[in-house]
Amino acid sequence: MKNYIIRPIAPHLTIYNAQWNSVFSIFHRISGVFIMVFIFFSTLGLFFFKFYSPTIMCVSFLWLFNKVYWIFISIIFIIFMSFFYHLCSGIYHLLLELGYFYHMVKIEKMSKYSLSFSILISFFYFFLIRLLFINLY
Amino acid sequence: MKIKNFFLNFNRKSVQNNNSLNHFDLSYRVFRIYRWNPSIMKNPWINSYIVSMNNCGPIVLDALIKIKNEQDSTLTFRRSCREGICGSCAINIIGKNTLACLYKLSDSSRFIHIYPLPHIYVIKDLVPDLTNFYTQHKSIQPWLQPNRDYSLQKEFIQSKQERSYLDGLYECILCACCSASCPSYWWNGDRYLGPAILLQAYRWIIDSRDSATEKRLGYLNDSYKVYRCHTIMNCTKTCPKHLNPGKAIANIKILLKGEKRESNS
């Protein structure tokens, strides 16, 4: 009887260091998937919940999330954050494809700039939306 | 006396104290090494070796040879030049792909994890099966294909500037550290060429003495050979010779787009 030897593949994800550049790159993909899932379910939800005006939509959301306001707000913030992160890292990748910033120091700098810029913009839009809710409420 | 010594040695490297067994004692190191033997029907396992640094050389390769000499002679790894020029001893040390003969022991912590190159079939212990890697290297035709008008008796004329375009490309020792660090190469290793091979492909594309540029670019113009690169840039981070494969791949993409670029800057 022949014994076939199945050679193993050397470990990869479990042992390789999570570097800043690789984590930045994979979060671009993760945020994209997250936004797509969110948009899909929100459009699906619009079919089931018929809103006659934006005011009623906001008031109904606020009534639903009255007790769990912070969870609602944090979900909104995460969505904003992922959208702007995806946008800023997408622009960074476009610049990289055009051939700019190819030394590791510049890459780390530019990726950190894009992350901080996306955080700033998401905070900015987040507080704008809060003002909108407060005005309506 | 201890306090006085502490302040006197503050800016110097830590004084070796071979007698104490306190928390900061680095006179020994623990090596956790991935093992697998094809003649034993067993899953891969990890062996721990405690190695004294007293009569051990300064690099990880010295420690591996010491383990093989004194503790476990069945430990298998590739090595040749011991100076970082042949590329045989490429392994994964504490999560990073480097050459064992270039990684200094003084740079590392007490526990040193040694694994073979990630996501490559293992022949035995730390020895990876690089036949796929070499086949891909052969597929890009890594030899000069000059004009048919060139006479074999004359030298190929190349200006200093044209020769400078090859700097940062010819130094590649084909150790496979960068390809083994690329997650894209992990998932698509059969069709994506990987940073090392693409660096070499670019080296032949921009060589001014070579006249088969269009044929080379035509070979690469595929949705898998080059375009699986998503600029993760693990390759540039891990290269033990400090080369930049990510930049070479970006230049290939620009050439494939049609834009003429003369240098590799």
Side-chain angles (χ1 to χ4, degrees), chain A residues 2-26 29 92-94 96-104 107-108, chain B residues 34 36 38 41 44 92 94-97 115-123 129 181 186-187 229-234 236-238 244 246-247 250 253-254 257 261:
Chain A
K2 256 189 180 173
N3 281 329
Y4 290 102
I5 297 165
I6 301 171
R7 292 189 303 184
I9 291 186
H12 37 94
L13 278 173
T14 43
I15 56 119
Y16 205 84
N17 269 348
Q19 326 254 1
W20 164 256
N21 44 287
S22 54
V23 167
F24 185 79
S25 176
I26 194 63
R29 194 167 274 215
Y92 161 82
H93 275 109
L94 273 174
L96 223 52
E97 295 288 335
L98 287 170
Y100 300 103
F101 332 118
Y102 257 99
H103 298 285
M104 272 327 283
I107 279 178
E108 298 208 343
Chain B
Y34 176 98
W36 183 68
M41 293 293 175
N92 185 295
I94 318 182
K96 189 183 178 206
N97 290 349
Y115 286 88
L117 287 179
H119 209 281
I120 297 183
Y121 283 110
V122 173
I123 297 174
D129 183 6
S181 71
W186 294 348
W187 317 135
C229 173
H230 300 300
T231 59
I232 300 171
M233 297 304 281
N234 261 0
T236 309
K237 199 101 199 263
T238 204
N244 202 335
K247 196 167 160 59
K253 287 177 185 167
I254 290 166
K257 200 180 69 177
R261 248 199 184 194

Side-chain angles (χ1 to χ4, degrees), chain B residues 15-27:
Chain B
V15 179
Q16 275 205 353
N17 194 354
N18 294 328
N19 292 326
S20 73
L21 292 165
N22 59 14
H23 189 62
F24 304 101
D25 180 24
L26 286 174
S27 64

Side-chain angles (χ1 to χ4, degrees), chain B residues 215-237:
Chain B
K215 196 174 84 171
R216 291 181 194 277
L217 286 171
Y219 174 72
L220 292 175
N221 210 354
D222 197 351
S223 69
Y224 268 93
K225 291 202 178 70
V226 174
Y227 290 108
R228 286 309 100 195
C229 173
H230 300 300
T231 59
I232 300 171
M233 297 304 281
N234 261 0
C235 49
T236 309
K237 199 101 199 263

Side-chain angles (χ1 to χ4, degrees), chain B:
Chain B
M1 192 61 194
K2 267 189 183 175
I3 296 169
K4 188 182 169 192
N5 271 340
F6 174 75
F7 281 106
L8 281 174
N9 296 329
F10 193 70
N11 278 332
R12 296 182 202 165
K13 281 191 181 167
S14 60
V15 179
Q16 275 205 353
N17 194 354
N18 294 328
N19 292 326
S20 73
L21 292 165
N22 59 14
H23 189 62
F24 304 101
D25 180 24
L26 286 174
S27 64
Y28 69 92
R29 287 218 165 66
V30 181
F31 286 83
R32 297 183 74 248
I33 303 180
Y34 176 98
R35 305 294 307 273
W36 183 68
N37 195 333
S39 53
I40 299 173
M41 293 293 175
K42 197 180 158 191
N43 281 338
W45 68 95
I46 305 249
N47 269 354
S48 298
Y49 303 99
I50 299 174
V51 179
S52 162
M53 294 289 111
N54 284 335
N55 51 351
C56 180
I59 50 177
V60 170
L61 184 66
D62 290 328
L64 285 172
I65 291 170
K66 191 172 180 211
I67 293 169
K68 199 172 165 73
N69 284 341
E70 294 173 8
Q71 295 186 42
D72 186 359
S73 58
T74 63
L75 180 64
T76 312
F77 50 91
R78 284 197 180 116
R79 88 282 178 271
S80 180
C81 70
R82 60 108 179 85
E83 61 183 358
I85 199 67
C86 70
S88 309
C89 55
I91 49 177
N92 185 295
I93 305 175
I94 318 182
K96 189 183 178 206
N97 290 349
T98 42
L99 300 173
C101 54
L102 288 181
Y103 197 91
K104 295 198 252 301
L105 283 169
S106 57
D107 285 345
S108 50
S109 56
R110 185 196 293 286
F111 285 88
I112 300 174
H113 310 279
I114 297 183
Y115 286 88
L117 287 179
H119 209 281
I120 297 183
Y121 283 110
V122 173
I123 297 174
K124 188 182 176 188
D125 288 349
L126 301 172
V127 177
D129 183 6
L130 294 173
T131 43
N132 182 37
F133 183 76
Y134 297 138
T135 326
Q136 286 171 335
H137 185 230
K138 192 176 164 185
S139 72
I140 59 150
Q141 298 181 352
W143 52 82
L144 194 66
Q145 297 175 41
N147 230 340
R148 280 165 199 271
D149 302 338
Y150 265 116
S151 155
L152 287 171
Q153 312 299 325
K154 278 200 281 191
E155 62 175 306
F156 295 105
I157 305 290
Q158 193 177 46
S159 70
K160 264 192 177 174
Q161 197 192 20
E162 286 168 345
R163 172 61 186 81
S164 72
Y165 297 158
L166 297 175
D167 289 336
L169 303 175
Y170 78 91
E171 296 101 329
C172 177
I173 54 175
L174 292 173
C175 60
C177 280
C178 56
S179 291
S181 71
C182 177
S184 238
Y185 192 72
W186 294 348
W187 317 135
N188 301 305
D190 49 346
R191 286 183 287 179
Y192 174 48
L193 290 180
I197 308 304
L198 289 171
L199 184 84
Q200 287 304 295
Y202 184 64
R203 176 252 177 277
W204 290 106
I205 286 168
I206 57 141
D207 196 338
S208 60
R209 303 167 292 177
D210 186 77
S211 66
T213 313
E214 279 180 24
K215 196 174 84 171
R216 291 181 194 277
L217 286 171
Y219 174 72
L220 292 175
N221 210 354
D222 197 351
S223 69
Y224 268 93
K225 291 202 178 70
V226 174
Y227 290 108
R228 286 309 100 195
C229 173
H230 300 300
T231 59
I232 300 171
M233 297 304 281
N234 261 0
C235 49
T236 309
K237 199 101 199 263
T238 204
C239 180
K241 306 298 285 179
H242 310 294
L243 304 179
N244 202 335
K247 196 167 160 59
I249 298 173
N251 287 336
I252 295 176
K253 287 177 185 167
I254 290 166
L255 284 172
L256 284 174
K257 200 180 69 177
E259 187 184 337
K260 292 284 175 197
R261 248 199 184 194
E262 285 183 340
S263 67
N264 63 344
S265 61

